[in-house]
């Protein structure tokens, strides 16, 4: 060996080996503690908006915006009818969301909904009926309650789903979700899809093998189509057992219909009331309820109101009833007040719960809350609203009654 070549100290190799081991161990630890996108999102904000789309070969069947509070387990579902319309920048025109879905896919539909509700929506599920069939059979069926059997002939094929509590296999669940009877109201279709959503989540969360068998879970996760990565989809499945399904708030997006020329010809388009402001305010109120303690949440869900017209404007109480029903309240009665010259709108607490009465008033920006007593002829009413001339059909204008 030449004299000018230095011998490497063996301890250097030992140190390098230790460093290599430390790097390997650190890498393994980091991989194991890696947070999936959904869990990371919930750590930042426990309230999660999630769009659920259901489709078949013909196109979009259902679109629901789910609002989930991971701290309380409370959730709500807003149904957006497929004929809902909006100005769609990606298409450069006004069109329906089902046409948008067909042309540009689920992501652009979600972006449009996000604009309507003024909310960042990071996650969506885009389930085909075949996905639903596979998942349903994987968990050995979904049980639903049908008050009446479904009997119909569809394209020459007999559809029969018996009434009562029925365990449906994958094919029957898909038929149940897709069915739209010609003699049914749209609300009946929507209600079936809310029932499906609730019982589908319940059946997944109660199928214990799913939480014990990684391979089975992986098969299910593969059919949760959308923009979830596998780890996030698995985290969503872990969230299901925490949800308070019996107390799920259900809302419909309402509006005015008119005929508009669309990409496939003239069609009916539903434009949300007040350019979507009603929906945005409703969502804001619901999100506040979802994060509330259980007692307050339950009280808000069960509030029953009456609406009385204290003005000379015909139909004001009926329009206000529609407004509150869209917020999820049960309106027991509408009518005229004892007089028609109320200047200021009055909210009367008849149940000894001023917090709930205040929340009822906040929806229309009414601050005049008074204590009252139960109605002798209708003691179930919790809150009475007497509309005054300061109410414009949407909000109370503070300066108008002065």
């Amino acid at each position: 060996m030449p004299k000018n070549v230095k011998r490497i100290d063996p301890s250097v190799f030992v140190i390098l080996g230790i460093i290599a081991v430390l790097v390997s161990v650190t890498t393994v630890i980091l991989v194991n503690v890696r947070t999936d996108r959904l869990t990371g999102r919930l750590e930042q904000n426990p309230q999660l908006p999630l769009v659920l789309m259901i489709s078949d070969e013909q196109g979009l069947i259902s679109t629901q915006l789910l609002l989930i509070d991971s701290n309380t387990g409370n959730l709500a579902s807003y149904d957006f009818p497929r004929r809902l319309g909006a100005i769609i920048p990606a298409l450069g025109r006004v069109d329906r969301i089902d046409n948008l879905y067909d042309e540009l896919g689920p992501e652009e539909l979600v972006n449009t909904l996000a604009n309507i509700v003024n909310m960042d929506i990071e996650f969506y599920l885009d389930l085909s009926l075949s996905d639903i069939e596979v998942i349903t059979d994987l968990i050995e069926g979904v049980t639903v309650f049908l008050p009446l059997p479904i009997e119909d002939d569809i394209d020459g094929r007999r559809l029969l789903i018996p009434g009562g509590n029925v365990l449906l296999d994958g094919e029957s669940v898909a038929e149940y979700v897709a069915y739209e009877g010609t003699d049914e109201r749209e609300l009946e279709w929507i209600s079936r899809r809310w029932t499906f959503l609730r019982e589908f989540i319940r059946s997944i969360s109660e199928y214990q093998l799913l939480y014990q068998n990684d391979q089975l879970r992986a098969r299910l996760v593969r059919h949760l189509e959308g923009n979830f990565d596998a780890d996030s989809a698995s985290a969503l499945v872990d969230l299901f057992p925490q949800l308070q399904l019996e107390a799920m708030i259900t809302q419909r997006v309402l509006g005015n219909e008119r005929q508009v020329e669309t990409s496939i010809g003239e069609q009916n388009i539903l434009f949300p009331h007040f350019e979507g402001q009603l929906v945005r305010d409703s969502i804001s109120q619901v999100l506040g309820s979802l994060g509330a303690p259980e007692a307050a949440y339950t009280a808000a869900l069960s509030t029953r109101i009456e609406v009385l017209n204290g003005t000379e404007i015909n139909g004001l109480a009926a329009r206000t009833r529609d407004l509150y029903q869209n917020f999820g309240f049960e309106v027991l009665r509408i009518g005229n007040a004892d007089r028609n010259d109320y200047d200021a709108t009055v909210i009367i607490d008849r149940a000894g719960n001023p917090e709930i009465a205040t929340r009822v008033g906040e929806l229309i920006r009414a601050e005049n809350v008074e204590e009252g007593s139960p109605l002798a002829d209708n003691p179930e009413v919790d809150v009475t609203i007497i509309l005054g001339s300061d109410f414009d059909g949407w909000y109370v204008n503070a300066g108008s009654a002065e």
Side-chain angles (χ1 to χ4, degrees), residues 260-331:
V260 175
E261 190 68 28
T262 71
S263 58
I264 62 173
E266 196 170 78
Q267 289 182 292
N268 276 338
I269 291 187
L270 180 78
F271 293 94
H273 287 309
F274 301 96
E275 298 181 345
Q277 188 60 48
L278 175 59
V279 179
R280 291 188 286 273
D281 283 0
S282 173
I283 287 175
S284 177
Q285 291 291 330
V286 166
L287 286 173
S289 298
L290 295 182
E294 182 177 358
Y297 176 69
T298 304
L301 279 179
S302 59
T303 302
R304 294 157 296 190
I305 66 177
E306 70 167 350
V307 182
L308 304 178
N309 187 356
T311 77
E312 295 181 345
I313 303 173
N314 292 330
L316 191 61
R319 292 199 297 273
T320 307
R321 172 197 57 201
D322 295 343
L323 181 73
Y324 274 91
Q325 286 178 336
N326 195 57
F327 281 122
F329 288 90
E330 182 179 2
V331 181

Side-chain angles (χ1 to χ4, degrees), residues 145-197:
F145 174 77
L146 283 78
L148 295 170
I150 296 175
E151 298 183 63
D152 206 345
D153 288 306
I154 301 175
D155 298 329
R157 187 174 59 85
R158 186 69 175 165
L159 171 64
L160 175 60
I161 302 177
N165 275 311
V166 187
L167 178 64
L168 302 179
D169 63 12
E171 182 179 0
S172 297
V173 165
E175 291 174 334
Y176 174 83
V177 171
Y179 179 66
E180 296 178 355
T182 55
D183 59 344
E184 292 183 319
R185 296 173 300 150
E186 183 182 36
L187 180 58
E188 294 178 78
W189 313 344
I190 297 169
S191 296
R192 263 197 300 274
R193 286 154 196 164
W194 279 328
T195 298
F196 158 74
L197 172 65

Side-chain angles (χ1 to χ4, degrees), residues 176-398:
Y176 174 83
V177 171
Y179 179 66
E180 296 178 355
T182 55
D183 59 344
E184 292 183 319
R185 296 173 300 150
E186 183 182 36
L187 180 58
E188 294 178 78
W189 313 344
I190 297 169
S191 296
R192 263 197 300 274
R193 286 154 196 164
W194 279 328
T195 298
F196 158 74
L197 172 65
R198 184 172 55 247
E199 300 309 324
F200 189 62
I201 293 175
R202 189 196 313 279
S203 297
I204 290 174
S205 63
E206 291 180 353
Y207 195 71
Q208 292 302 312
L209 282 177
L210 200 61
Y211 298 87
Q212 301 166 1
N213 187 314
D214 291 341
Q215 290 184 336
L216 185 65
R217 177 189 288 237
R219 289 174 60 194
L220 183 144
V221 163
R222 281 198 297 272
H223 289 278
L224 290 177
E225 297 284 352
N227 67 342
F228 285 82
D229 58 86
D231 290 339
S232 293
S234 185
L236 180 65
V237 173
D238 284 333
L239 181 61
F240 285 168
Q242 304 172 38
L243 300 183
Q244 306 298 321
L245 296 171
E246 291 304 324
M248 183 175 77
I249 297 174
T250 55
Q251 298 287 318
R252 298 164 59 201
V253 175
L254 303 176
N256 300 309
E257 288 198 42
R258 63 176 185 263
Q259 288 277 319
V260 175
E261 190 68 28
T262 71
S263 58
I264 62 173
E266 196 170 78
Q267 289 182 292
N268 276 338
I269 291 187
L270 180 78
F271 293 94
H273 287 309
F274 301 96
E275 298 181 345
Q277 188 60 48
L278 175 59
V279 179
R280 291 188 286 273
D281 283 0
S282 173
I283 287 175
S284 177
Q285 291 291 330
V286 166
L287 286 173
S289 298
L290 295 182
E294 182 177 358
Y297 176 69
T298 304
L301 279 179
S302 59
T303 302
R304 294 157 296 190
I305 66 177
E306 70 167 350
V307 182
L308 304 178
N309 187 356
T311 77
E312 295 181 345
I313 303 173
N314 292 330
L316 191 61
R319 292 199 297 273
T320 307
R321 172 197 57 201
D322 295 343
L323 181 73
Y324 274 91
Q325 286 178 336
N326 195 57
F327 281 122
F329 288 90
E330 182 179 2
V331 181
L332 295 181
R333 180 169 66 181
I334 64 171
N336 293 320
D338 56 334
R339 63 179 204 270
N340 63 3
D341 60 351
Y342 276 83
D343 291 327
T345 297
V346 183
I347 310 296
I348 303 175
D349 170 26
R350 299 196 181 279
N353 195 332
E355 182 179 346
I356 293 298
T358 298
R359 176 165 290 182
V360 169
E362 286 175 348
L363 295 175
I364 57 172
R365 301 178 184 170
E367 299 179 353
N368 187 12
V369 179
E370 298 181 359
E371 182 180 352
S373 56
L375 293 169
D377 61 337
N378 202 341
E380 293 184 340
V381 171
D382 300 307
V383 178
T384 295
I385 303 170
I386 302 178
L387 302 170
S389 60
D390 60 349
F391 181 64
D392 64 6
W394 174 233
Y395 289 127
V396 167
N397 298 304

